[in-house]
Amino acid sequence: MANRLSEDDLIASIFAPLSGPGSLDLRDDAALLSPPPGHQIIATADALVAGVHFFPDDPADQIAQKSLRVNISDLSAKGADPWGYLLSLALPDNCSTDWLMSFAQGLKADGKTYGMSLLGGDTVRTPGPLMINVTALGLVPEGQMVQRTTAKVGDRIYVSGSIGDSALGLALRLNQIALSTEMKTEWQDHLLNSYLLPQPRQGLIAALRAHAHASMDVSDGLIGDLTKLLKVSQVSARVELARIPLSQAAAGLIALQDDLFDRAVTGGDDYEILCTVPPTQSAEFEQAAAAAKINVTYIGDVSAEQQAPVWIDRNGQAKIFAKASFSHF
Amino acid sequence: MANRLSEDDLIASIFAPLSGPGSLDLRDDAALLSPPPGHQIIATADALVAGVHFFPDDPADQIAQKSLRVNISDLSAKGADPWGYLLSLALPDNCSTDWLMSFAQGLKADGKTYGMSLLGGDTVRTPGPLMINVTALGLVPEGQMVQRTTAKVGDRIYVSGSIGDSALGLALRLNQIALSTEMKTEWQDHLLNSYLLPQPRQGLIAALRAHAHASMDVSDGLIGDLTKLLKVSQVSARVELARIPLSQAAAGLIALQDDLFDRAVTGGDDYEILCTVPPTQSAEFEQAAAAAKINVTYIGDVSAEQQAPVWIDRNGQAKIFAKASFSHF
């Protein structure tokens, strides 16, 4: 703990500047919050551990941003605007003040981008790896939370952006993909960056509130996460795997090595929106997404529950995935 | 991770039974909360790390209870009733399902005792020690939060219960106190139990709301915590050390080894209430505490800020503490 600020100094000098309304300037033990009239609160938490959810030598500001963004992604999927967050940090002894200042810079930048300030939290010492827990609070207009359990038979299944970039980025990072000269540098950069820094789909919040029956963010792999959503909604689905949106980079890599497709659609850390929209609303949903400059792709349809979801491959055959989800756990 | 439930199974079988209103049965990514009309939300977080905040071989149910109670203590000090909590758990690979079931039993018991149900959270794997983060939400009637920054000159300083039991319990646990035949077994049991299981002062909530100007819970040592409260309130104080309430066990130990007094008043984990009450309200505050069957002791007076707080010893001399606070950090 040499060269480390005391907890009080850390709060006053590094974290207090990130605090916002309700935080009481971090001079109290707790935050004081009043949701605006006509709103409900959405609360979610995500914990990240060095060596499990990020690499210990990732840039500190990007680790901070990732820990906020994975939570903002959850809020966005629920149709909630970010409101504030509590941050608990377990710091190993070798964590320097410079590292913490860079970490705080990342929080500050994203706090501004996403409209979310620090409300409180805790800082403790750990003999283990760095760990970050963010409990994020969001706001939805009364009754407009988009839940996970409310998909209906006949809904169209949409996914935002592209799937698998982050999982392939992680595989590259772990040297689990044999590099070849056909692999473009810009593909690698795109995939590695996707892993490092999620892009939560805040732009879809209004479209989800207005048009979606059910929604969640894709964090543990598309196949597994859709399976979960369908299960808790007591429905099933038929999905055409060829429709799953891939980036140029992911498609390029998969063209070279086709077993990477499974990794792309069952790997984690996409932080895209997976939602179901009734057919009567799908044109408006697509228009709203286009207006927000976010691609959404119709990948399949919700069916009555009689069986597990059916994944149709390019040959029209039902495919079985050996492992549907990525598990950090 | 052998013999470990998947995260989904863990949630469904072990944590869902602890969930309450707003949790959506833990089947969504987030909780949905609406504070009752006329109330504000108090939010606080405390993180506990095995080997830092508790012993890894402490009983799992009591570790769970401690992690809830340290947060309930914060809420109580603010005049807030417990409402719900989000739990993030980082589990090492050797954490068994039996351990988790016992942990959940502790949460269930205290959730019932204190009126607080599980709203959500996260479960992750860690290569390091077990870590628990609880983000607790409480409710106060509009405008009735008791803050830390609002002590006034002339206020009387009160502390609940007795001080130092937990710090001396920890010292015993660490074999840092030479055992002697004069040391009664019941003293040791009392002190060891105080360390293991805090008793948050929920019974004082109404008295604090009605009568206190400022309040916090004592978690990092009375001397250091009072110094913090006075500093953020921009006031000072004169405290008579002999008035600080000690249990029979702590007083007995200190009589045998008088340097333990400093440890008692600067050690951590008391989870008692430290508050300031105007003299005009002190009789009513004492009556309200007595009605709640909680001892409160008047230990000194708030003075105008001109100097650091003055600690008067038994000889009427000002005492200087080498170290005012215990720091887990």
Side-chain angles (χ1 to χ4, degrees), chain A residues 1 4-8 10 24 27-35 39-47 49-53 74 77-78 83 86 88-91 121-129 131 133 135 137 140 142 145-149 215-217 220 228 232 328-329, chain B residues 1 4-8 10 24 27-35 39-53 74 78 83 86 88-91 121-129 131 133 135 137 140 142 145-149 215-217 220 228 232 328-329:
Chain A
M1 295 210 277
R4 258 260 289 284
L5 296 172
S6 74
E7 188 178 7
D8 290 337
L10 188 67
L24 307 175
R27 292 189 301 164
D28 212 308
D29 310 282
L32 175 63
L33 302 167
S34 301
H39 286 75
Q40 291 175 297
I41 300 164
I42 301 293
T44 186
D46 269 308
V49 178
V52 180
H53 302 86
D74 274 322
K78 304 291 102 188
W83 193 28
L86 291 97
S88 291
L89 270 181
L91 301 174
D122 195 12
T123 315
V124 297
R125 187 174 62 81
T126 178
M131 176 167 163
N133 184 74
T135 301
L137 302 177
V140 279
E142 187 92 32
M145 178 188 187
V146 188
Q147 299 195 11
R148 194 198 276 189
T149 56
S215 170
M216 69 185 292
D217 75 330
D220 296 331
K228 283 184 210 176
V232 294
H328 289 122
F329 184 65
Chain B
M1 294 209 278
R4 259 260 289 284
L5 296 172
S6 74
E7 187 178 7
D8 290 337
L10 188 67
L24 307 175
R27 291 189 302 162
D28 211 308
D29 311 283
L32 176 64
L33 302 167
S34 301
H39 286 74
Q40 292 175 295
I41 300 164
I42 301 292
T44 186
D46 269 307
L48 287 81
V49 178
V52 180
H53 301 87
D74 273 322
K78 305 290 102 186
W83 192 27
L86 291 98
S88 291
L89 270 182
L91 302 174
D122 195 13
T123 315
V124 297
R125 186 174 63 80
T126 178
M131 176 168 163
N133 184 74
T135 300
L137 302 177
V140 280
E142 185 93 29
M145 176 189 189
V146 189
Q147 300 197 11
R148 194 198 274 188
T149 55
S215 171
M216 68 185 292
D217 75 330
D220 296 332
K228 281 183 211 175
V232 294
H328 289 121
F329 184 67

Side-chain angles (χ1 to χ4, degrees), chain A residues 155-228:
Chain A
D155 282 355
R156 295 185 172 180
I157 300 167
Y158 283 90
V159 67
S160 66
S162 58
I163 291 295
D165 295 326
S166 183
L168 297 179
L170 175 60
L172 281 172
R173 187 85 183 260
L174 294 171
N175 299 314
Q176 293 173 337
I177 297 178
L179 293 178
S180 80
T181 51
E182 296 160 276
M183 234 176 251
K184 295 188 185 161
T185 312
E186 67 253 35
W187 295 353
Q188 296 185 43
D189 291 347
H190 171 81
L191 300 173
L192 290 167
N193 283 332
S194 295
Y195 174 74
L196 212 52
L197 215 49
Q199 306 293 337
R201 298 301 188 178
Q202 212 176 3
L204 281 182
I205 290 175
L208 290 168
R209 283 184 196 158
H211 307 295
H213 271 163
S215 170
M216 69 185 292
D217 75 330
V218 185
S219 56
D220 296 331
L222 176 64
I223 301 297
D225 282 347
L226 178 54
T227 303
K228 283 184 210 176

Side-chain angles (χ1 to χ4, degrees), chain A residues 61-326:
Chain A
D61 55 340
Q62 296 188 7
I63 294 171
Q65 289 173 291
K66 185 169 192 169
S67 54
L68 271 190
R69 290 182 185 193
V70 300
N71 281 283
I72 293 168
S73 177
D74 274 322
L75 294 180
S76 298
K78 304 291 102 188
D81 293 302
W83 193 28
Y85 65 97
L86 291 97
L87 171 72
S88 291
L89 270 181
L91 301 174
D93 286 350
N94 65 1
C95 182
S96 69
T97 301
D98 282 351
W99 190 95
L100 284 164
M101 286 172 68
S102 171
F103 185 84
Q105 278 306 317
L107 295 178
K108 191 174 183 182
D110 269 10
K112 208 168 170 182
T113 304
Y114 296 101
M116 189 173 221
S117 59
L118 180 61
L119 297 172
D122 195 12
T123 315
V124 297
R125 187 174 62 81
T126 178
L130 175 73
M131 176 167 163
I132 303 153
N133 184 74
V134 171
T135 301
L137 302 177
L139 292 171
V140 279
E142 187 92 32
Q144 292 192 34
M145 178 188 187
V146 188
Q147 299 195 11
R148 194 198 276 189
T149 56
T150 41
K152 303 276 173 265
V153 174
D155 282 355
R156 295 185 172 180
I157 300 167
Y158 283 90
V159 67
S160 66
S162 58
I163 291 295
D165 295 326
S166 183
L168 297 179
L170 175 60
L172 281 172
R173 187 85 183 260
L174 294 171
N175 299 314
Q176 293 173 337
I177 297 178
L179 293 178
S180 80
T181 51
E182 296 160 276
M183 234 176 251
K184 295 188 185 161
T185 312
E186 67 253 35
W187 295 353
Q188 296 185 43
D189 291 347
H190 171 81
L191 300 173
L192 290 167
N193 283 332
S194 295
Y195 174 74
L196 212 52
L197 215 49
Q199 306 293 337
R201 298 301 188 178
Q202 212 176 3
L204 281 182
I205 290 175
L208 290 168
R209 283 184 196 158
H211 307 295
H213 271 163
S215 170
M216 69 185 292
D217 75 330
V218 185
S219 56
D220 296 331
L222 176 64
I223 301 297
D225 282 347
L226 178 54
T227 303
K228 283 184 210 176
L229 182 149
L230 297 166
K231 187 177 174 191
V232 294
S233 293
Q234 298 182 276
V235 291
S236 189
R238 185 181 169 92
V239 170
E240 288 187 39
L241 295 172
R243 290 204 212 161
I244 292 174
L246 299 175
S247 66
Q248 277 200 321
L253 236 65
I254 291 166
L256 295 175
Q257 193 181 324
D258 67 2
D259 63 312
L260 290 178
F261 178 79
D262 284 21
R263 182 127 184 186
V265 298
T266 63
D269 287 326
D270 287 303
Y271 304 106
E272 294 292 352
I273 299 289
L274 173 65
C275 64
T276 81
V277 176
T280 53
Q281 302 270 307
S282 65
E284 283 162 289
F285 175 71
E286 290 181 20
Q287 283 155 20
K293 297 189 168 48
I294 297 176
N295 284 330
V296 293
T297 308
Y298 168 30
I299 60 167
D301 299 279
V302 176
S303 60
E305 186 181 41
Q306 287 163 342
Q307 55 184 4
V310 181
W311 317 105
I312 305 297
D313 70 13
R314 280 163 204 279
N315 307 317
Q317 303 295 312
K319 178 179 166 90
I320 307 290
F321 288 93
K323 192 179 169 193
S325 288
F326 178 74

Side-chain angles (χ1 to χ4, degrees), chain B residues 49-217:
Chain B
V49 178
V52 180
H53 301 87
F54 58 88
F55 289 82
D57 59 350
D58 286 343
D61 56 341
Q62 296 189 6
I63 294 172
Q65 290 173 289
K66 184 169 192 170
S67 54
L68 271 190
R69 291 182 184 194
V70 299
N71 281 283
I72 294 168
S73 177
D74 273 322
L75 294 179
S76 299
K78 305 290 102 186
D81 293 303
W83 192 27
Y85 64 97
L86 291 98
L87 171 72
S88 291
L89 270 182
L91 302 174
D93 286 350
N94 65 1
C95 182
S96 70
T97 300
D98 283 352
W99 189 95
L100 284 164
M101 287 173 69
S102 169
F103 185 84
Q105 279 305 318
L107 294 178
K108 192 173 183 183
D110 269 11
K112 209 167 170 182
T113 304
Y114 296 101
M116 191 175 218
S117 61
L118 181 61
L119 297 172
D122 195 13
T123 315
V124 297
R125 186 174 63 80
T126 178
L130 175 72
M131 176 168 163
I132 304 152
N133 184 74
V134 171
T135 300
L137 302 177
L139 291 171
V140 280
E142 185 93 29
Q144 291 191 34
M145 176 189 189
V146 189
Q147 300 197 11
R148 194 198 274 188
T149 55
T150 40
K152 302 277 175 264
V153 174
D155 281 355
R156 294 185 174 180
I157 301 167
Y158 283 89
V159 67
S160 67
S162 57
I163 291 296
D165 295 326
S166 184
L168 296 179
L170 176 60
L172 281 171
R173 187 87 182 259
L174 294 171
N175 299 314
Q176 292 172 337
I177 296 178
L179 293 178
S180 80
T181 51
E182 297 160 274
M183 236 176 251
K184 295 186 184 163
T185 313
E186 68 252 35
W187 294 354
Q188 295 184 43
D189 291 347
H190 171 81
L191 299 173
L192 289 168
N193 283 332
S194 295
Y195 173 75
L196 212 51
L197 216 47
Q199 305 294 336
R201 297 302 187 179
Q202 213 176 5
L204 280 183
I205 290 175
L208 290 169
R209 283 183 195 159
H211 307 297
H213 271 162
S215 171
M216 68 185 292
D217 75 330

